[in-house]
Amino acid sequence: LLSCRLYCEEAKDPKRRSCQTVLAEALDIVVRSFAPILPHLAEEVFQYIPYKKDSEGVFRTGWINASSAWKKPGIEEAIEGACAMRDSFLGSISGKNPLEYEVIIVIEPGLLFELMEALQAEETSTVSQLNEIMMASQTTLLSELPKETPSDANIIKGTFLINLEGGDICEQSSYKVIARPIAKAKCPRCRRYTAESSSTPCPRCLQVLAAGKGST
């Protein structure tokens, strides 16, 4: 997830910048949290953070002060639900490369489906947050099984308990995960199987490369 956003997206793309912001916030909190017991290490790390403009040090700039903007209702549950489905997917392919597969997630209309839609607005995507979490080359989110699903398809079933607002909203939801070998070629840039041929970058990478040439 991190490597794809940091190394494959265009330098100023919001996805890449948001990833850098999260890493910066995480580093700041970790350093401040161990500063009382490892003061010299914390101070050295803090002094070498390249984007810090002040030079007062970790002990003169206050304790941990995480913004309330990071706490968004439903996000934690959405990520945990997606990770549960990813575990089902990875377990179904027995240690094989997940990028060689496309994933179909089937969830009946309800709260879990709405949470997954927050991670992937479109039905099928190769670049959504949900697809990044699934670690596949392509993810499809549906409310019912596709009509063309083979009778012998390996359908992994699971459930996920959603607990929101301190238990005021509680819902047990079921899901199905289908993993299918993807028919696309391996992109020579991002290594995902989303290209039309192995010698040509995928559409996302072509767009990033074009944007890079335009900014030079």
Side-chain angles (χ1 to χ4, degrees), residues 118-130:
L119 300 177
Q120 179 169 303
E122 57 272 44
E123 183 176 282
T124 299
S125 178
T126 61
V127 296
S128 68
Q129 294 181 68
L130 179 58

Side-chain angles (χ1 to χ4, degrees), residues 29-43 58-59 63:
I29 291 175
V30 169
V31 173
R32 292 182 191 278
S33 65
F34 68 63
I37 55 175
L38 295 170
H40 299 293
L41 176 60
E43 188 65 34
V58 66
F59 293 101
W63 184 235

